[in-house]
Amino acid sequence: MAVFKGAGVAIVTPMYEDGSVNYDKLGELIEFQIANSTDAIIICGTTGESSTMTHGEHLKTIKYAIDKVAKRIPVIAGTGSNCTETAIMMSKEAASYGADALLVVTPYYNKATQKGLIAHYTAIANAVPDTPIIMYNVPSRTGCNIQPATVAALVKNVKNIVGVKAASGDLSQIAKTVALAGEDLELYSGNDDQTLPILSLGGIGVISVLSNVAPKETHDMVMKFLDGDIRGAAKIQIDAIPLISALFCEVNPIPAKAALNLMGMNVGPLRMPLTEMEDSNKEILAKAMKDFGIKLA
């Protein structure tokens, strides 16, 4: 059984003006997502600014989300690190809290070889044998690319490594990965503008930034495709392209937080080195949101 099918939100981490985590607001966002048909909560990923959290904050935020969701939908915890031992520690803690799955990014900065990636992911998986693991391939951020043969070897040979969040942008690589891994692979799009192309290659969902501001539409797009309404799904994908472009006109999650604030969600500021969105880009974002039918505050 797949971890989830549909649209999982890569949820932002709301913060107070002093930069501390606003857990009450996070609870409001989780309820907003569940009420609008989101199929999974992905907590403490890139969009959640996990890279600037302390280990204590990171784990507290994961536990808060798991407790708040209370098994209504799956919670997938981001527990990756460029240090294997740290990733193991974070993964074991998240598993002990009841995470439904883990999202584990490739080691960044030290850029492991393919042999190193197999060793890294196998060690993490063996430390949490009862918790499914989704690998996260985003070479534009990490400088490290999981090759198709490596993905196939891991999902075929390690029982709880079940899938990949594919954010390489390379559809040919993704197709080759599916060809090698076959039915052993749960494939999730990691790029909102490629959701339907990746679904057409056998994907079963998206881990989405767009879902922060348009959860129902993102869910509907995936479900229409999976239910055979290709035209309906394509219309949502195409209509969303200007908004998706605006949500990535500055580095994620700068625009996502700006968008939620424009909606009156009051998710607060970003942690440095991320800074507030440029006014000119915020105007583009606001227009794209209104054109997509999102009400601004």
Short mmCIF file of all heavy atoms in Angstrom, two decimals, residues 218-246:
data_model
loop_
_atom_site.label_atom_id
_atom_site.label_comp_id
_atom_site.label_asym_id
_atom_site.label_seq_id
_atom_site.Cartn_x
_atom_site.Cartn_y
_atom_site.Cartn_z
N THR A 218 -4.96 21.40 -6.23
CA THR A 218 -3.84 20.48 -6.45
C THR A 218 -4.30 19.03 -6.25
O THR A 218 -3.97 18.14 -7.04
CB THR A 218 -2.67 20.82 -5.52
OG1 THR A 218 -2.41 22.23 -5.58
CG2 THR A 218 -1.41 20.08 -5.95
N HIS A 219 -5.06 18.81 -5.19
CA HIS A 219 -5.65 17.48 -4.96
C HIS A 219 -6.52 17.06 -6.14
O HIS A 219 -6.40 15.94 -6.65
CB HIS A 219 -6.48 17.51 -3.68
CG HIS A 219 -7.46 16.38 -3.55
ND1 HIS A 219 -7.11 15.16 -3.00
CD2 HIS A 219 -8.76 16.27 -3.91
CE1 HIS A 219 -8.16 14.35 -3.04
NE2 HIS A 219 -9.17 15.00 -3.57
N ASP A 220 -7.39 17.97 -6.59
CA ASP A 220 -8.31 17.64 -7.68
C ASP A 220 -7.54 17.31 -8.96
O ASP A 220 -7.93 16.39 -9.70
CB ASP A 220 -9.26 18.80 -7.94
CG ASP A 220 -10.33 18.94 -6.86
OD1 ASP A 220 -10.43 18.03 -6.00
OD2 ASP A 220 -11.04 19.97 -6.86
N MET A 221 -6.47 18.06 -9.23
CA MET A 221 -5.69 17.81 -10.43
C MET A 221 -5.15 16.38 -10.45
O MET A 221 -5.28 15.67 -11.46
CB MET A 221 -4.52 18.81 -10.51
CG MET A 221 -3.55 18.54 -11.64
SD MET A 221 -2.31 19.85 -11.79
CE MET A 221 -1.53 19.82 -10.18
N VAL A 222 -4.57 15.96 -9.35
CA VAL A 222 -4.00 14.61 -9.30
C VAL A 222 -5.10 13.56 -9.38
O VAL A 222 -5.00 12.58 -10.13
CB VAL A 222 -3.15 14.42 -8.03
CG1 VAL A 222 -2.63 12.99 -7.94
CG2 VAL A 222 -1.99 15.41 -8.00
N MET A 223 -6.16 13.76 -8.62
CA MET A 223 -7.21 12.75 -8.58
C MET A 223 -7.94 12.63 -9.91
O MET A 223 -8.32 11.53 -10.32
CB MET A 223 -8.18 13.05 -7.45
CG MET A 223 -7.59 12.77 -6.08
SD MET A 223 -6.87 11.09 -5.98
CE MET A 223 -6.26 11.07 -4.31
N LYS A 224 -8.14 13.76 -10.59
CA LYS A 224 -8.75 13.69 -11.92
C LYS A 224 -7.88 12.85 -12.85
O LYS A 224 -8.39 12.01 -13.60
CB LYS A 224 -8.94 15.10 -12.49
CG LYS A 224 -10.14 15.85 -11.94
CD LYS A 224 -10.22 17.25 -12.53
CE LYS A 224 -11.40 18.03 -11.94
NZ LYS A 224 -12.70 17.49 -12.37
N PHE A 225 -6.58 13.06 -12.79
CA PHE A 225 -5.70 12.27 -13.65
C PHE A 225 -5.79 10.79 -13.30
O PHE A 225 -5.95 9.94 -14.18
CB PHE A 225 -4.25 12.75 -13.52
CG PHE A 225 -3.31 12.06 -14.47
CD1 PHE A 225 -3.00 12.62 -15.70
CD2 PHE A 225 -2.75 10.82 -14.16
CE1 PHE A 225 -2.17 11.97 -16.59
CE2 PHE A 225 -1.91 10.16 -15.04
CZ PHE A 225 -1.61 10.74 -16.27
N LEU A 226 -5.68 10.47 -12.01
CA LEU A 226 -5.70 9.08 -11.59
C LEU A 226 -7.04 8.41 -11.89
O LEU A 226 -7.11 7.20 -12.09
CB LEU A 226 -5.37 8.97 -10.10
CG LEU A 226 -3.96 9.41 -9.68
CD1 LEU A 226 -3.79 9.27 -8.17
CD2 LEU A 226 -2.88 8.61 -10.41
N ASP A 227 -8.12 9.22 -11.94
CA ASP A 227 -9.44 8.69 -12.24
C ASP A 227 -9.74 8.66 -13.75
O ASP A 227 -10.84 8.27 -14.16
CB ASP A 227 -10.52 9.52 -11.53
CG ASP A 227 -10.51 9.32 -10.02
OD1 ASP A 227 -9.96 8.30 -9.57
OD2 ASP A 227 -11.05 10.18 -9.31
N GLY A 228 -8.78 9.11 -14.56
CA GLY A 228 -8.94 9.03 -16.00
C GLY A 228 -9.44 10.29 -16.68
O GLY A 228 -9.61 10.31 -17.91
N ASP A 229 -9.66 11.35 -15.90
CA ASP A 229 -10.10 12.62 -16.49
C ASP A 229 -8.86 13.44 -16.86
O ASP A 229 -8.50 14.41 -16.19
CB ASP A 229 -10.99 13.38 -15.51
CG ASP A 229 -11.52 14.70 -16.07
OD1 ASP A 229 -11.26 15.00 -17.25
OD2 ASP A 229 -12.16 15.45 -15.30
N ILE A 230 -8.22 13.05 -17.94
CA ILE A 230 -6.96 13.67 -18.33
C ILE A 230 -7.16 15.13 -18.73
O ILE A 230 -6.36 16.00 -18.35
CB ILE A 230 -6.30 12.88 -19.49
CG1 ILE A 230 -6.21 11.38 -19.15
CG2 ILE A 230 -4.92 13.46 -19.79
CD1 ILE A 230 -5.48 11.06 -17.89
N ARG A 231 -8.21 15.42 -19.45
CA ARG A 231 -8.46 16.79 -19.88
C ARG A 231 -8.71 17.71 -18.67
O ARG A 231 -8.21 18.83 -18.62
CB ARG A 231 -9.66 16.85 -20.83
CG ARG A 231 -9.38 16.32 -22.22
CD ARG A 231 -10.59 16.49 -23.12
NE ARG A 231 -10.34 15.97 -24.46
CZ ARG A 231 -9.79 16.68 -25.44
NH1 ARG A 231 -9.42 17.93 -25.21
NH2 ARG A 231 -9.60 16.14 -26.63
N GLY A 232 -9.50 17.22 -17.73
CA GLY A 232 -9.77 18.02 -16.54
C GLY A 232 -8.52 18.28 -15.73
O GLY A 232 -8.30 19.40 -15.24
N ALA A 233 -7.68 17.25 -15.58
CA ALA A 233 -6.42 17.40 -14.86
C ALA A 233 -5.49 18.37 -15.59
O ALA A 233 -4.86 19.24 -14.96
CB ALA A 233 -5.74 16.04 -14.71
N ALA A 234 -5.43 18.24 -16.91
CA ALA A 234 -4.55 19.11 -17.69
C ALA A 234 -4.98 20.56 -17.61
O ALA A 234 -4.13 21.47 -17.57
CB ALA A 234 -4.52 18.65 -19.14
N LYS A 235 -6.28 20.81 -17.56
CA LYS A 235 -6.74 22.19 -17.46
C LYS A 235 -6.26 22.84 -16.16
O LYS A 235 -5.79 23.99 -16.16
CB LYS A 235 -8.26 22.27 -17.53
CG LYS A 235 -8.78 23.71 -17.54
CD LYS A 235 -10.28 23.79 -17.65
CE LYS A 235 -10.73 25.23 -17.89
NZ LYS A 235 -10.15 26.21 -16.94
N ILE A 236 -6.37 22.10 -15.05
CA ILE A 236 -5.89 22.65 -13.78
C ILE A 236 -4.38 22.88 -13.84
O ILE A 236 -3.89 23.93 -13.41
CB ILE A 236 -6.26 21.72 -12.61
CG1 ILE A 236 -7.78 21.57 -12.50
CG2 ILE A 236 -5.69 22.27 -11.30
CD1 ILE A 236 -8.22 20.53 -11.48
N GLN A 237 -3.63 21.90 -14.36
CA GLN A 237 -2.18 22.05 -14.46
C GLN A 237 -1.82 23.29 -15.28
O GLN A 237 -0.99 24.11 -14.87
CB GLN A 237 -1.57 20.80 -15.09
CG GLN A 237 -0.07 20.89 -15.39
CD GLN A 237 0.81 20.66 -14.17
OE1 GLN A 237 1.17 19.53 -13.87
NE2 GLN A 237 1.15 21.74 -13.47
N ILE A 238 -2.43 23.44 -16.44
CA ILE A 238 -2.10 24.57 -17.32
C ILE A 238 -2.54 25.89 -16.70
O ILE A 238 -1.80 26.88 -16.73
CB ILE A 238 -2.73 24.34 -18.71
CG1 ILE A 238 -2.03 23.16 -19.39
CG2 ILE A 238 -2.62 25.60 -19.57
CD1 ILE A 238 -2.78 22.60 -20.58
N ASP A 239 -3.75 25.92 -16.12
CA ASP A 239 -4.22 27.16 -15.49
C ASP A 239 -3.33 27.58 -14.33
O ASP A 239 -3.21 28.77 -14.03
CB ASP A 239 -5.65 26.97 -14.99
CG ASP A 239 -6.68 26.91 -16.10
OD1 ASP A 239 -6.32 27.21 -17.26
OD2 ASP A 239 -7.84 26.56 -15.82
N ALA A 240 -2.69 26.60 -13.67
CA ALA A 240 -1.86 26.89 -12.50
C ALA A 240 -0.44 27.34 -12.85
O ALA A 240 0.29 27.82 -11.98
CB ALA A 240 -1.78 25.66 -11.60
N ILE A 241 -0.04 27.21 -14.12
CA ILE A 241 1.35 27.49 -14.48
C ILE A 241 1.79 28.91 -14.11
O ILE A 241 2.87 29.10 -13.53
CB ILE A 241 1.61 27.19 -15.97
CG1 ILE A 241 1.57 25.67 -16.23
CG2 ILE A 241 2.95 27.76 -16.43
CD1 ILE A 241 2.63 24.86 -15.50
N PRO A 242 1.01 29.97 -14.40
CA PRO A 242 1.46 31.31 -13.98
C PRO A 242 1.65 31.43 -12.47
O PRO A 242 2.60 32.07 -12.01
CB PRO A 242 0.34 32.23 -14.48
CG PRO A 242 -0.28 31.48 -15.63
CD PRO A 242 -0.22 30.05 -15.22
N LEU A 243 0.76 30.81 -11.70
CA LEU A 243 0.90 30.84 -10.24
C LEU A 243 2.11 30.05 -9.79
O LEU A 243 2.87 30.50 -8.91
CB LEU A 243 -0.37 30.30 -9.59
CG LEU A 243 -0.36 30.18 -8.06
CD1 LEU A 243 0.00 31.50 -7.39
CD2 LEU A 243 -1.71 29.65 -7.56
N ILE A 244 2.32 28.89 -10.39
CA ILE A 244 3.50 28.09 -10.03
C ILE A 244 4.77 28.87 -10.35
O ILE A 244 5.71 28.91 -9.55
CB ILE A 244 3.48 26.74 -10.78
CG1 ILE A 244 2.31 25.87 -10.28
CG2 ILE A 244 4.80 26.00 -10.61
CD1 ILE A 244 2.00 24.69 -11.17
N SER A 245 4.80 29.52 -11.49
CA SER A 245 5.98 30.33 -11.86
C SER A 245 6.22 31.43 -10.83
O SER A 245 7.36 31.68 -10.43
CB SER A 245 5.79 30.94 -13.25
OG SER A 245 5.72 29.93 -14.23
N ALA A 246 5.14 32.08 -10.38
CA ALA A 246 5.28 33.14 -9.39
C ALA A 246 5.76 32.59 -8.05
O ALA A 246 6.52 33.26 -7.33
CB ALA A 246 3.95 33.87 -9.22
#
